[in-house]
Amino acid sequence: MTPFTVIQEGDGPSRIVLSEPTGSTAEVLLHGGQVVSWKNEKRQEMLFMSNKAIFRPSKAIRGGIPICFPQFSNLGSLEQHGFARTRLWSLDSSPSPLPPVNNQSTLDLLLKSTEEDLKTWSHRFELRLRISLSAGKLTLIPRVRNTDSKAFSFTFALRNYLSVSDISEVRVEGLETLDYFDNLLERERYTEQADAITFDGEIDRVYLSTPTKIAIIDHEKKRTFVLRKEGMPDAAVWNPWDKKAKALLDLGDEDYKTMLCVDSAAIETPIVLKPFEEWKGRQELSTVSSSYCSGQLDPRKVLYGFT
């Protein structure tokens, strides 16, 4: 099985397509090293992509799974969410050997610091991303290596734009009772009081010390995303709602209704790497059809019951 194919359409960016035997696919751009599509075996799109997304060099793409490095949001002096998502990545010609998995399609990408990057962030690094597609599952393994002679620190996130049927019918389980920073209230720290997160307005939070498993339950589609993560203890949750959506040029006015960002992240405690040290994270996105129990979803089954 060929691991991936490269498709070039007109003067647009070339797309790398991964596929696996059950029929699911993922599309990745070298621009930003960004996954821009993930379709299940029924050809249903799992990731949100704005219909006004801008596919141009040095512009961030609104949708899919952008990579925030070496800075999350505006928590530093760099451009919003850092520069990795606007750079041109390359295929990694010498990826580290990881154990092979049957019926899995894998792509290895690499971003190295350039002289231009060093002007704004004076640290030499190599950022690698392994993207693996298997039946019902999309796995991303980011790795950052310090190739400099001095230590550096960074924050990091995989921003997952999930496609949902109706944001007001979605609930997130696994973040209850946790502390979070509320970016709408000057990053004040609060404790989540609800037994699940539901949505009726703009939300922009970073939940701290989160579990390795979070469930995003879409009542209308009877579908649950399960987000598993390692090495990224925080989880950012974002939806711009109507006013902010209208203010964002690359987002349709109604797009907020069919998207939700739940990110795997390392934000509260920056990652510190000494020279030649490497950090590694891991994220698995999978979907299960939601089980009904006396008319209610039973998220406990999703979070604790089965893998």
Side-chain angles (χ1 to χ4, degrees):
M1 183 178 76
T2 52
F4 56 83
T5 53
V6 179
I7 297 172
Q8 179 72 53
E9 293 169 347
D11 58 358
S14 57
R15 291 171 180 258
I16 302 165
V17 181
L18 289 80
S19 55
E20 55 78 37
T22 68
S24 69
T25 59
E27 291 186 19
V28 186
L29 302 184
L30 290 178
H31 176 105
Q34 189 159 330
V35 177
V36 291
S37 170
W38 172 37
K39 290 179 179 167
N40 65 11
E41 70 285 353
K42 297 175 185 165
R43 309 298 297 143
Q44 296 167 324
E45 180 59 68
M46 301 285 112
L47 300 177
F48 167 85
M49 177 59 67
S50 167
N51 56 24
K52 289 186 174 180
I54 300 165
F55 293 90
R56 280 209 305 272
S58 79
K59 291 285 184 190
I61 299 166
R62 176 80 62 192
I65 309 180
I67 295 161
C68 307
F69 171 88
Q71 173 186 300
F72 179 79
S73 186
N74 56 358
L75 301 172
S77 60
L78 300 176
E79 60 198 85
Q80 173 91 356
H81 289 316
F83 50 72
R85 64 182 186 153
T86 60
R87 295 293 188 268
L88 192 63
W89 293 47
S90 60
L91 297 175
D92 190 352
S93 55
S94 57
S96 77
L98 286 178
V101 179
N102 289 336
N103 296 331
Q104 179 171 289
S105 180
T106 294
L107 174 66
D108 286 289
L109 299 180
L110 171 65
L111 180 70
K112 287 184 177 181
S113 47
T114 64
E115 294 306 313
E116 196 60 32
D117 295 331
L118 289 167
K119 291 176 187 171
T120 52
W121 198 64
S122 60
H123 308 289
R124 293 182 192 276
F125 68 88
E126 291 176 356
L127 169 53
R128 285 181 163 79
L129 181 66
R130 173 163 288 192
I131 302 161
S132 296
L133 177 73
S134 54
K137 186 185 293 182
L138 180 67
T139 303
L140 275 66
I141 301 176
R143 291 182 295 138
V144 177
R145 179 176 287 276
N146 181 346
T147 56
D148 214 315
S149 57
K150 57 187 184 297
F152 64 70
S153 67
F154 62 93
T155 50
F156 187 92
L158 296 172
R159 166 137 283 192
N160 301 301
Y161 280 87
L162 303 176
S163 173
V164 298
S165 52
D166 176 358
I167 186 63
S168 61
E169 295 289 320
V170 172
R171 55 193 274 147
V172 177
E173 301 266 350
L175 302 177
E176 52 279 1
T177 74
L178 299 181
D179 282 6
Y180 63 87
F181 292 128
D182 194 329
N183 292 323
L184 301 179
L185 295 168
E186 298 180 339
R187 292 210 178 87
E188 281 289 318
R189 189 171 181 139
Y190 295 91
T191 301
E192 182 57 62
Q193 304 293 337
D195 61 356
I197 300 166
T198 55
F199 303 92
D200 59 5
E202 184 183 357
I203 186 169
D204 187 356
R205 296 175 181 171
V206 176
Y207 286 83
L208 309 172
S209 304
T210 60
T212 55
K213 194 148 107 177
I214 298 166
I216 300 97
I217 300 155
D218 189 334
H219 287 271
E220 205 166 294
K221 279 193 175 147
K222 297 186 172 57
R223 182 171 73 204
T224 295
F225 288 99
V226 181
L227 172 64
R228 290 181 176 85
K229 56 192 184 54
E230 298 164 18
M232 293 177 277
D234 306 319
V237 178
W238 181 69
N239 183 291
W241 221 252
D242 54 348
K243 286 195 183 70
K244 186 75 62 73
K246 286 185 172 69
L248 293 167
L249 296 176
D250 60 350
L251 192 67
D253 288 357
E254 302 290 308
D255 276 354
Y256 75 93
K257 295 177 179 175
T258 56
M259 61 151 280
L260 175 64
C261 287
V262 181
D263 309 345
S264 300
I267 299 169
E268 184 190 21
T269 304
I271 295 153
V272 179
L273 289 181
K274 293 176 187 150
F276 306 110
E277 279 189 336
E278 185 176 80
W279 166 83
K280 179 178 161 189
R282 181 186 179 90
Q283 168 183 290
E284 283 180 11
L285 269 175
S286 57
T287 58
V288 293
S289 60
S290 306
S291 55
Y292 276 75
C293 178
S294 68
Q296 289 293 313
L297 284 165
D298 184 0
R300 295 285 168 277
K301 279 188 183 171
V302 173
L303 279 173
Y304 312 113
F306 54 83
T307 54

